[in-house]
Amino acid sequence: MIENPPVARLDGVSVRAGNVQILRDIDLTIDPGDALGVFGANGAGKTTILRVLATLQPTATGSVEVLGADATADERFTVRPRIGYIGHVPALYPELTLAENLGFFARSRGLDESVAASALADVGLAGAADRRADRCSHGMQRRAEFARILVSSPVFLLLDEPHSALDADAVDLVDAIVHRTVDQGGAAVLVSHDRARVRSLATRTVEIEGGILR
Amino acid sequence: MIGFGSQAALIARRDILRERRSGEVLWVTLPFGAIALLLVPLAVGTDAPMLRQIGPGIFWVVVMLFGVFISIRQTSSETDAQRDQLALSGLDPAAVYFGRALASFLFLLGFQLVLGFVTVVLYDISLEGWLILPLTFVIVAAGLSLLGTLAAGIVATGQNAAALVPLLVAPLSIPLLIGATQALEALQLGRSSLTWVLMMIVTVIVLAIAGVLSAQPLQETR
């Protein structure tokens, strides 16, 4: 029987920022079907580990493999569009409407703008599509970020505080997106302070403390 | 995946839309540029022949200073989160560079046209025989937009990179400033301005190459 290759593998990964050691000797394997919850205090290194998995964070030591690509080599550029990353700060352009934001995202992936309109409808924002992002509430902006995930259907979801600022309907929507990705053979990593919510969603959880995974 | 040209056009369209909504060039930088042109006659007096003589030089200095500012502001207004998403989008960083520069080029061209009109009126400059002016406008706008976009890419890398920007911008904008002023002066004196135009074109090509080569490393540096 042929085993599925891992979605991501970190081996002895350390990250430094100047003299500060943010991550220390992290070993982590994320397999298809995994929904990994990552917990830890503020500044423990949770967001950094997500950025490493998104191939956005250079590492000081160790090796990072994501979707079969070496994250320190140029091949990372080919797998990046298959990664869905939502940080804790919205990445929308404030001057553009939600439809324009999602349309830009769809077109950057060679998709039609109608896909963006449909995704906005799916997250309950059809009525706000022509509203500028900076005139939307934080919760609406978060919903629009999840519409981006629906547009690109990534196989590897990286979510930083996915349930924050969301109402009950939107929380269910996020959970459905995670379930769908995992059920289709992808994987998800959820960084959160909401342990109860994430435990109900995750297939396993880890704790990060002072840059060390426990 | 979309082609290189379409990627650049997508970025340019995004930046033009953002500017149309924020109006930073139109309502902030342009009036300041016009005020700078107005202040010089107030400072040096209203000696008409002297103003006629220094007018083109003052115009280009104002265009260079405010032009680079427009371009840097335009492209460094992205947040880290937006830059992360752009890096994950799969768009070619060189196409992103050209797209940003294209949007800045259009803003700068408009900026030069308005300030050029203000200069002609305030400094009583005759446009006779200045057929090379439109070409100079286009080359200077291209050079400043490429330079400003490159500088903004450096600013976006964070830490103390912003302190390096004047060291990069000053020497690279000087050939454009000298080329633009000398090309027009050569025409006024009935000489060929070809050498100066070529110097500006070479500067633009060097900036385009530097921008393409540095686009990916700058995108990946945070």
Side-chain angles (χ1 to χ4, degrees):
Chain A
M1 185 178 149
I2 300 169
E3 259 186 53
N4 284 329
V7 173
R9 181 168 24 215
L10 309 186
D11 188 9
V13 167
S14 298
V15 173
R16 282 179 163 278
N19 292 327
V20 181
Q21 184 95 35
I22 301 173
L23 295 181
R24 292 166 199 265
D25 203 23
I26 302 280
D27 295 323
L28 179 67
T29 301
I30 298 162
D31 290 311
D34 270 353
L36 176 72
V38 180
F39 305 126
N42 292 331
K46 302 188 299 295
T47 297
T48 305
I49 210 167
L50 271 195
R51 289 180 50 79
V52 168
L53 291 166
T55 76
L56 293 168
Q57 177 69 52
T59 55
T61 62
S63 65
V64 181
E65 191 186 303
V66 177
L67 297 169
D70 178 351
T72 59
D74 279 357
E75 57 198 79
R76 70 185 182 277
F77 297 115
T78 60
V79 299
R80 279 182 174 176
R82 296 165 61 204
I83 299 170
Y85 173 53
I86 296 188
H88 58 276
V89 177
L92 302 170
Y93 297 105
E95 305 89 350
L96 304 189
T97 65
L98 296 183
E100 287 164 349
N101 267 291
L102 267 289
F104 171 77
F105 180 77
R107 285 176 26 140
S108 72
R109 279 159 167 75
L111 300 167
D112 194 81
E113 287 192 30
S114 60
V115 180
S118 159
L120 277 175
D122 288 346
V123 298
L125 289 175
D130 294 327
R131 196 185 297 182
R132 276 175 58 151
D134 59 358
R135 290 174 190 163
C136 292
S137 69
H138 188 58
M140 290 168 80
Q141 292 183 24
R142 294 286 290 177
R143 277 178 182 249
E145 298 260 279
F146 282 99
R148 216 174 48 214
I149 296 291
L150 295 178
V151 167
S152 60
S153 299
V155 293
F156 191 25
L157 272 184
L158 301 166
L159 309 177
D160 200 345
E161 299 294 349
H163 300 109
S164 75
L166 294 178
D167 57 29
D169 285 349
V171 164
D172 290 342
L173 176 81
V174 172
D175 292 358
I177 289 172
V178 172
H179 281 306
R180 195 184 68 180
T181 305
V182 169
D183 291 347
Q184 289 174 348
V189 178
L190 302 94
V191 158
S192 182
H193 288 107
D194 188 349
R195 289 170 186 260
R197 185 88 216 174
V198 168
R199 279 211 175 97
S200 70
L201 190 60
T203 54
R204 64 190 173 111
T205 61
V206 291
E207 187 89 24
I208 189 162
E209 196 180 315
I212 298 166
L213 213 55
R214 296 183 193 283
Chain B
M1 181 49 76
I2 56 175
F4 187 92
S6 300
Q7 292 180 40
L10 182 65
I11 295 292
R13 183 171 171 266
R14 177 204 65 179
D15 285 359
I16 290 166
L17 262 178
R18 293 187 73 190
E19 164 56 27
R20 213 174 72 189
R21 304 267 165 75
S22 71
E24 191 156 318
V25 174
L26 186 64
W27 300 113
V28 181
T29 316
L30 193 57
F32 270 110
I35 288 168
L37 286 173
L38 182 66
L39 287 177
V40 174
L42 293 176
V44 301
T46 52
D47 178 355
M50 185 188 69
L51 288 180
R52 218 170 284 136
Q53 196 182 349
I54 65 169
I58 300 293
F59 167 76
W60 286 121
V61 168
V62 169
V63 165
M64 296 292 159
L65 292 178
F66 285 85
V68 173
F69 176 74
I70 287 172
S71 204
I72 290 176
R73 280 288 301 151
Q74 207 60 42
T75 48
S76 64
S77 61
E78 279 181 349
T79 63
D80 283 347
Q82 290 161 354
R83 275 193 286 276
D84 281 347
Q85 289 305 327
L86 210 53
L88 289 171
S89 69
L91 293 177
D92 186 331
V96 173
Y97 170 73
F98 275 121
R100 285 168 171 160
L102 176 61
S104 290
F105 168 79
L106 295 172
F107 302 143
L108 285 169
L109 211 52
F111 183 74
Q112 286 184 84
L113 286 173
V114 174
L115 287 198
F117 175 75
V118 172
T119 307
V120 167
V121 172
L122 278 179
Y123 294 79
D124 190 25
I125 292 166
S126 161
L127 290 176
E128 213 172 311
W130 282 27
L131 289 174
I132 203 157
L133 198 59
L135 177 65
T136 312
F137 273 23
V138 168
I139 298 172
V140 169
L144 289 182
S145 57
L146 290 166
L147 176 58
T149 306
L150 176 60
I154 295 169
V155 172
T157 62
Q159 290 153 19
N160 299 319
L164 295 172
V165 167
L167 298 175
L168 172 78
V169 168
L172 287 173
S173 62
I174 284 171
L176 293 171
L177 177 65
I178 293 174
T181 50
Q182 293 303 310
L184 297 185
E185 194 175 303
L187 272 184
Q188 277 181 311
L189 299 172
R191 297 185 200 136
S192 168
S193 55
L194 184 65
T195 311
W196 302 111
V197 170
L198 284 176
M199 186 179 85
M200 288 192 289
I201 290 174
V202 168
T203 307
V204 168
I205 292 169
V206 168
L207 287 167
I209 292 170
V212 167
L213 293 178
S214 62
Q216 193 177 85
L218 288 176
Q219 177 190 270
E220 297 300 304
T221 307
R222 204 63 56 81

